[in-house]
Amino acid sequence: MHLNDTPQEAAFRKKVRDFLNQNAKPKDADNLKAARAETRESEADGLARAKKWQKKKAAAGYAAITWPKDYGGMGGTAIQSVIYNQEEAKYHLPRGYFEIGLGMCIPTLIAYADKETLTRYVKPALYGEEIWCQLFSEPAAGSDVAGIRSRVKRDGDDWILNGQKVWTSGAHFSDYGIIVARSDPDQPKHRGLTFFFLDMHAPGVEVRPIKQMSGGSNFNEVFFNDVRIPDSQRLGEVGEGWKVALTTLMNERLAVGMGESADAGDLLEIARDLETENGPAVKDAHIRAKIAEWYAESQGLKYTKMRTLTALSKGETPGPESSIIKIVSARKMQDIGAFAMEMQDMAGVVSDGELSPFGAAFQQQWIWAAGFRIAGGTDEILRNIVAERVLGMPADIRVDKAKPFRDLPTGR
Amino acid sequence: MLADHCPLTAVREILESNKTHNTKLWNQLANMGLLGAAIPEKYGGTNMNMLELCVIAEELGRALAPVPFSSSIYVAAETLKATQNENAKKHWLPKLASGEAIGTFAFSEKAGAPTFANTNTAFDGHKLSGTKMPVPDGMSANFVITTAKNKKDQAVIILADANTPNVKRQNVRTIDPSRKYATITFHDAPAEILAEGDKAEEMMDRILNRSAVLFAFEQLGGADAALEMAQTYARERFAFGRPIGSFQAIKHKLANIYVKNQLARSNCYYAAMTLGSQEESADLAIAAATARISASDAFIFAAQENVQTHGGIGFTWESDCQLFYRRARTLSLVIGAQRRWKERLVRLLEMKNVA
């Protein structure tokens, strides 16, 4: 495991820093408390700022470090991409608008689309002129991603799409989307799917925000009512949409960020300020033990990531150890939020940022973690993946793989 | 009655509005004599017994009832029953029994464990000054039972009328807006003593012991309702061509919730027996803390894993999962964090072993 950059990596990091210093303002501190204190801008302002920044970044080659130069990339390595992201996170820069498009959608296009399509769509995406979203999840296709019911029917040179997608990030500001839909319900579920990209402004596409438990709306439902998609926007063969979707999903882990969350160090900080019935919280043996446990988990995650990065740095494929990261971190987020509320005792319920320590970050984290344990693979699905793909346990006996999709029981 | 008049839509209505509580339900509880169930007839109650109150608490918990029952009855009425201040008893208990007045308690001043030693609220013999935060039902309460120090720096438990110009209150946003909280500031507010010195410490123990049992029943009701919600969904929701309840990961999750709920139920029953006996049992304090710890644990786990069982839909605003997730955490903190109750339980066990 390497803890330090190789000389080449250090040189690349310096180049990145120089670029960022010329173009952006560094954050004063990268702790949670400072991050909370930053004023939040509106989405429209953020988007405008993000588009401006993306243009500069793409012109300098940093928008797609690992892509081949033919597509406007830098032709760089995975570790260079990681280094860039580490450095960019230290600056006041808008994030969260182009990651899905450039991390998942365009790479799928690069794998399946013809030259003409790529010439038309790659550059505008890279320069932030057009935004892309990914339309896979449905009300009945969450953990069971292939359970897709959105239906496409062939109509001359076009396809007609009807159905609904859900939990679509950024659909409301996206120009294009990639989508998997069912083209043949008489085939078994994995075989009757076809993959397309579509214009999000096309007639019949309706985007509605989902209000989350947290009160905010970061995702959408997208409804399709007789939406016409030209066959030229099909990616992969008819009925082979699942194979194409797997290409996209392989990139998902890289594209989904985790955001900032309070950790053991933040607990230690509030423990210094709070009192228990027996004196300073920081002197309480139980509190100290909990902080120690979460510190050990956090360090375990940190060095697990280092092992992955080391493999990338050596040009190797990372091992399966990175599959544990979300299993540990989502639950840790929830437990740390809850424990900080415990330390705040009766006032732990207060979610008013003026009255609650750290601007109520712990309370918000506790709400968000309930969703984070589900999003992008539930705790249960991730454990199955570890057991089956890493530990070699036999897979569940499947009842849904051979039968025609339309004969599968659906419940509600 | 609660099933008919307090569906989860009624809880959501309070969550999404500025209303302090469901007044219709509150009046119904009053009309049925349930507010005064454990208040002596002499003070306007029906004097059934504490067991009746435990049953009511469990049902309120099951419905996540958005009413100030716990503040007004588990805490305020139970405290007044024990005071030697006959005037306060005569004045307030009949009003609590009829629902005409709402009482509450205000022990916390800021983040951290509130104690008599760290209170900054002062009582000069007639008037009370200080700020309490957060106070459950603080916006709707007619009076507040609160902690302070007297001029001799001794602990006092005080009753202050909340509707005087010297009492200012402001709504406080919390993780569970289906139960409203306030910040209350007393500026030389007229107030009277309920207990002082050692008696105040004793009274606080009594408040904690008795309300812990009642809150535990409320938590138990909520935990069972959350489990039922998860069970129903696990049977109806299909993935991979099967009900998700057929997957062992979900089965074991539900079984684990059931185990915690049953342990909590047993501890609650024993605590109710110690609470219900004529001569208050010496075991009450230990039984109350035990019930509180297992019921908090059960409800938190059930509510949290109910969200998880539902998956994505469980994290939406429209899903009722959030109502349980919020309430479970709120109830676990309302009379002190679990950490503090665990500490208290072991201290009580140590004392028992010495004696």
Side-chain angles (χ1 to χ4, degrees):
Chain A
M1 181 169 67
H2 294 162
L3 297 180
N4 296 312
D5 288 340
T6 63
Q8 292 87 343
E9 286 162 8
F12 181 75
R13 195 181 291 278
K14 184 170 179 309
K15 215 176 103 191
V16 168
R17 273 187 199 161
D18 291 344
F19 168 70
L20 290 167
N21 277 329
Q22 282 161 25
N23 291 290
K25 205 171 130 239
K27 290 180 186 169
D28 299 331
D30 66 352
N31 66 35
L32 181 77
K33 215 172 177 176
R36 304 292 312 178
E38 280 175 25
T39 48
R40 306 241 157 179
E41 62 186 347
S42 75
E43 191 178 81
D45 291 349
L47 183 57
R49 205 157 65 90
K51 285 191 165 190
K52 226 168 125 187
W53 168 238
Q54 187 69 16
K55 201 169 175 178
K56 256 187 204 169
K57 188 171 155 182
Y62 292 115
I65 290 169
T66 57
W67 293 6
K69 286 187 175 161
D70 289 355
Y71 299 116
M74 191 181 259
T77 61
I79 194 75
Q80 286 179 329
S81 178
V82 170
I83 290 170
Y84 179 84
N85 288 331
Q86 287 172 343
E87 293 303 317
E88 196 193 69
K90 296 173 189 165
Y91 291 79
H92 286 285
L93 287 167
R95 295 173 78 103
Y97 298 95
F98 308 108
E99 284 81 349
I100 288 171
L102 301 181
M104 301 172 77
C105 305
I106 302 295
T108 310
L109 252 65
I110 290 177
Y112 286 94
D114 58 24
K115 201 164 180 335
E116 196 184 330
T117 305
L118 295 176
T119 310
R120 160 65 188 83
Y121 293 102
V122 174
K123 200 177 167 207
L126 200 57
Y127 280 75
E129 290 153 16
E130 290 170 351
I131 305 183
W132 288 67
C133 63
Q134 183 252 72
L135 301 146
F136 285 9
S137 294
E138 293 187 8
S143 293
D144 182 9
V145 195
I148 285 164
R149 295 186 196 169
S150 285
R151 190 77 173 85
V152 275
K153 282 185 185 159
R154 189 74 194 240
D155 182 43
D157 285 342
D158 294 342
W159 295 78
I160 308 291
L161 169 67
N162 281 287
Q164 184 198 345
K165 296 287 173 177
V166 76
W167 298 113
T168 314
S169 308
H172 58 300
F173 53 67
S174 287
D175 302 294
Y176 296 94
I178 52 172
I179 187 166
V180 206
R182 190 155 303 278
S183 47
D184 186 356
D186 294 324
Q187 292 283 332
K189 74 199 290 187
H190 295 88
R191 272 180 255 155
L193 299 168
T194 302
F195 202 111
F196 301 88
F197 69 93
L198 87 168
D199 181 352
M200 290 296 286
H201 306 296
V205 178
E206 189 197 343
V207 178
R208 289 185 211 157
I210 299 174
K211 191 171 177 187
Q212 296 129 211
M213 188 201 280
S214 57
S217 293
N218 300 70
F219 306 91
N220 303 280
E221 292 179 288
V222 184
F223 296 86
F224 306 102
N225 187 10
D226 287 337
V227 176
R228 204 161 263 280
I229 307 175
D231 188 53
S232 60
Q233 290 179 199
R234 175 165 50 80
L235 298 173
E237 297 304 314
V238 174
E240 296 209 346
W242 181 245
K243 200 176 118 193
V244 185
L246 289 179
T247 317
T248 313
L249 291 172
M250 280 205 299
N251 289 302
E252 178 166 28
R253 243 195 354 220
L254 305 171
V256 174
M258 305 211 320
E260 283 147 336
S261 68
D263 213 329
D266 302 299
L267 283 181
L268 182 59
E269 196 177 328
I270 66 159
R272 288 204 184 97
D273 295 337
L274 296 175
E275 277 180 52
T276 72
E277 64 282 18
N278 297 318
V282 72
K283 296 289 173 206
D284 184 276
H286 173 65
I287 291 172
R288 294 171 77 88
K290 296 303 283 184
I291 293 173
E293 285 171 23
W294 283 312
Y295 183 78
E297 275 192 6
S298 291
Q299 293 300 102
L301 289 177
K302 180 177 161 188
Y303 295 122
T304 300
K305 287 176 196 162
M306 288 276 190
R307 285 163 61 198
T308 302
L309 295 184
T310 303
L312 286 176
S313 165
K314 290 180 181 164
E316 295 164 4
T317 307
E321 68 280 348
S322 62
S323 54
I324 69 161
I325 288 171
K326 192 176 158 277
I327 297 180
V328 179
S329 57
R331 186 57 194 263
K332 181 159 72 71
M333 252 177 92
Q334 189 170 38
D335 290 346
I336 284 181
F339 193 74
M341 287 155 74
E342 278 272 302
M343 275 202 268
Q344 294 166 33
D345 209 270
M346 290 177 176
V349 294
V350 177
S351 60
D352 181 329
E354 300 283 309
L355 296 171
S356 180
F358 276 35
F362 293 104
Q363 283 75 10
Q364 286 177 23
Q365 166 164 337
W366 167 78
I367 292 268
W368 261 106
F372 192 51
R373 283 180 60 197
I374 295 163
T378 63
D379 288 3
E380 291 73 22
I381 291 288
L382 294 176
R383 285 194 175 88
N384 280 344
I385 289 174
V386 168
E388 292 171 17
R389 297 202 201 144
V390 182
L391 304 178
M393 294 299 114
D396 261 330
I397 295 162
R398 294 283 291 263
V399 298
D400 62 332
K401 276 192 152 173
K403 278 189 219 164
F405 182 75
R406 67 162 83 251
D407 295 339
L408 293 178
T410 54
R412 67 178 198 189
Chain B
M1 195 284 280
L2 282 158
D4 288 345
H5 297 283
C6 188
L8 291 175
T9 48
V11 183
R12 181 173 290 273
E13 191 198 336
I14 303 301
L15 178 85
E16 293 175 347
S17 73
N18 293 324
K19 289 180 194 160
T20 55
H21 60 284
N22 185 322
T23 46
K24 204 174 145 205
L25 178 63
W26 185 242
N27 292 336
Q28 274 165 329
L29 291 165
N31 293 339
M32 291 173 74
L34 298 178
L35 300 181
I39 294 174
E41 283 175 47
K42 186 181 162 193
Y43 298 107
T46 49
N47 202 27
M48 293 189 272
N49 61 44
M50 291 304 286
L51 287 177
E52 306 284 343
L53 203 51
C54 291
V55 173
I56 296 167
E58 185 180 341
E59 293 310 314
L60 291 169
R62 177 179 296 280
L64 304 178
V67 287
F69 198 102
S70 53
S71 305
S72 205
I73 307 301
Y74 310 169
V75 182
E78 289 302 311
T79 307
L80 282 168
K81 276 161 70 178
T83 183
Q84 287 166 349
N85 180 337
E86 197 57 34
N87 283 338
K89 273 177 132 147
K90 275 191 196 145
H91 183 73
W92 291 111
L93 277 174
K95 290 183 176 161
L96 291 180
S98 69
E100 184 189 339
I102 293 166
T104 192
F105 61 104
F107 302 157
S108 175
E109 296 177 1
K110 57 176 194 216
T115 61
F116 281 118
N118 66 23
T119 179
N120 284 316
T121 304
F123 182 66
D124 70 0
H126 304 282
K127 296 197 164 140
L128 184 71
S129 289
T131 298
K132 297 288 181 177
M133 189 285 298
V135 183
D137 302 303
M139 295 307 287
S140 57
N142 300 76
F143 69 92
V144 183
I145 291 171
T146 189
T147 46
K149 278 188 241 174
N150 65 16
K151 280 179 158 174
K152 287 183 275 181
D153 215 29
Q154 291 170 316
V156 279
I157 292 180
I158 300 292
L159 187 152
D161 193 318
N163 291 317
T164 72
N166 303 25
V167 179
K168 297 266 183 294
R169 37 187 166 174
Q170 198 177 2
N171 185 53
V172 172
R173 203 164 69 237
T174 72
I175 56 167
D176 182 12
S178 70
R179 299 280 291 111
K180 298 292 194 277
Y181 278 72
T183 295
I184 302 191
T185 304
F186 305 95
H187 296 283
D188 290 328
E192 53 189 319
I193 285 194
L194 297 181
E196 192 165 19
D198 290 346
K199 292 263 191 257
E201 305 273 3
E202 276 171 36
M203 183 177 272
M204 182 54 76
D205 275 339
R206 181 188 152 97
I207 292 172
L208 291 177
N209 292 341
R210 299 176 80 81
S211 66
V213 180
L214 295 162
F215 274 115
F217 271 94
E218 186 169 330
Q219 291 168 308
L220 182 61
D224 271 350
L227 173 57
E228 283 159 26
M229 196 178 160
Q231 276 172 269
T232 305
Y233 192 75
R235 273 195 297 260
E236 292 175 358
R237 167 78 175 183
F238 278 59
F240 305 100
R242 298 157 54 176
I244 60 167
S246 71
F247 291 104
Q248 205 167 43
I250 298 294
K251 272 187 191 145
H252 283 191
K253 185 189 294 297
L254 298 180
N256 286 338
I257 299 173
Y258 178 79
V259 167
K260 281 180 189 283
N261 288 7
Q262 290 308 312
L263 289 177
R265 180 166 294 280
S266 302
N267 281 329
C268 280
Y269 284 173
Y270 179 69
M273 286 165 66
T274 63
L275 186 65
S277 57
Q278 281 300 321
E279 297 269 314
E280 199 156 281
S281 160
D283 279 344
L284 172 62
I286 288 173
T290 307
R292 167 93 182 139
I293 290 164
S294 41
S296 287
D297 183 39
F299 193 13
I300 286 171
F301 184 71
Q304 180 177 300
E305 298 310 310
N306 180 39
V307 180
Q308 188 69 17
T309 302
H310 277 72
I313 192 83
F315 189 63
T316 60
W317 186 264
E318 70 175 304
S319 164
D320 289 331
C321 291
Q322 64 157 324
L323 305 177
F324 292 92
Y325 191 65
R326 294 173 187 282
R327 184 65 62 81
R329 186 60 61 183
T330 299
L331 287 177
S332 82
L333 295 167
V334 65
I335 47 165
Q338 282 165 293
R339 183 199 58 73
R340 187 143 63 96
W341 280 93
K342 288 174 186 168
E343 171 71 30
R344 179 180 168 85
L345 175 58
V346 177
R347 188 166 48 76
L348 291 163
L349 292 173
E350 283 178 315
M351 280 159 54
K352 191 182 175 191
N353 286 347
V354 170

